[in-house]
Amino acid sequence: MPVLAAPAEQSHDTRIGAPAWREATWAQTRKAQQVTERCGREAVAMWQPEESVGDPNVAHHLCRAAHIQPWRFRVEMLRGGGHVEKPPPGEGVTLWKCKMKPPAWHARLPLPLHRDARAQQTAEVVLAHARGARLVAARLGRAQHQINGQVWQLQRRREATDRRLSEVRKGLLVNQQSVKLRDYRPKSEKIPDKADSMLTWEKEELKNMKRKMEEDMEKSEALLKALASCRDALALCCKERLQAVDLMNQPLDKVLEQAGRHSWVNLSRAPTPRTQGQKTPPPDPAGPYTPACAAALNEARLLLVESRDTLADMAKNEAEVREQQTQISDRVCTSLAQKMRETSELKERLNISVGLMRGTIHRCTKFQQEMYTTRGLIKGPLSKAHLETREKLDRPMVRVYQRHVGTQLPEATRLAQGTDKLQRHISQGERNLNELLTMQKNLTWNFKCKKMGFDVDHSVARLRQRQSHPHVCYEQALRLLHERDQRAPLPPRARRARE
């Protein structure tokens, strides 16, 4: 939009019109005022009452003053010490500026201006009807303005509620994504824990919030339709009333100020020094305030009260849902973080156990190899040619000793017993070594499962933190969920059927 530059030099007078044009207008106004005052003075001077002004007991120059004396204002003393001037009682026109009240003059015969007087009386009736129609139109317009304000506030509140509902729905998608991601954990890590319970609890709470927000949206939608219908009815009634006041150039707000009330709805009435303005007239089918206008204003009053309560409830529910959703998300993230810490502790313990078991397996393996060597040494050579002299039974001392009865040497028996005992220890060592290897394998697999579980929980926590950002909308979360479903591996049976 182009911006007009201000003139370089500006005078202190900010008026636009020419001084001569303005002075001409003021001169004409002063001339009209002088003519009005002169004509008023001449009319009062030419007026004569029915009684004669002359009185033989009063001087001629005092007759007029004595006759006008009852017309003047009377001074009354107050209890507090002050005084107040009041006009004399009776009919007549009160001249407040002159502080006089001449008595009313009644004509006995029709005057030459009788036709104009009757036309003026008819015009007064029409003008009263037009004034009433203008007042009703002003109040209908003010009620329509208030209804428009409530509609605008309700639409803004519906937008805020819809954004919160979108956040709740996005929270349900994030919960579903979290559950699906945790399904990728190994079987040993899928034992139900408090994190799963928290996710289930979060899902139920989010569903309850969703139902509450949807009820608020449905209620506000019905109220919005009712407000729109009431606004159309008020606009139609106001348009009908304005058809009678098109030629009366007076702002409607000024009419309301003169009436002493800013609205018949009594919700946005401006504070005034008066305690109460004009009362609401009864509905009249033939008057300006018809039953249709009364019904429209009554409906507007009820709808404004209901709209105010609904706006307060929606704002309260939206704040509660926002706070509750934040608390629930924080509790779920806290439980996931605690589960990650516990998994990390168990993973470190498993890693230490695997390291200790690895050293034990190395020692057992070395001891087993030494036992195999010992068993080979105890069994001796496989060929007789490899026997040493000290191992042969035909040694001279052994042959002499063997001749005596009951002098059998225990060498063969002890060798057989030692070989058998060594064999049993070797078998026990093999079983222990296999058990250690199996346990090491299980610990290694458990360590890998713990690591996978930790990575999955960490991915879930990062996913929740990333998706909970306000810039991520519901459609993006839904698109991510569909893409993740498409990238999910197929089951073996479906994979074989596809191939």
Side-chain angles (χ1 to χ4, degrees), residues 237-256:
C237 294
C238 183
K239 185 178 180 181
E240 291 177 355
R241 303 286 87 73
L242 287 176
Q243 290 177 359
V245 294
D246 286 341
L247 300 179
M248 303 180 68
N249 187 13
Q250 187 173 8
L252 297 181
D253 291 341
K254 190 68 176 178
V255 176
L256 291 177

Side-chain angles (χ1 to χ4, degrees), residues 151-191:
V151 168
W152 183 83
Q153 293 181 10
L154 189 59
Q155 288 178 350
R156 300 287 84 76
R157 178 50 55 190
R158 277 177 57 84
E159 291 177 0
T161 305
D162 184 67
R163 288 193 296 270
R164 180 49 48 190
L165 180 59
S166 177
E167 291 293 329
V168 172
R169 289 173 177 170
K170 187 179 72 173
L172 285 172
L173 290 180
V174 172
N175 181 272
Q176 186 178 358
Q177 294 173 3
S178 303
V179 173
K180 285 190 176 182
L181 276 179
R182 286 178 66 85
D183 287 340
Y184 286 97
R185 294 177 300 168
K187 185 176 181 180
S188 61
E189 297 297 319
K190 289 184 180 181
I191 301 175

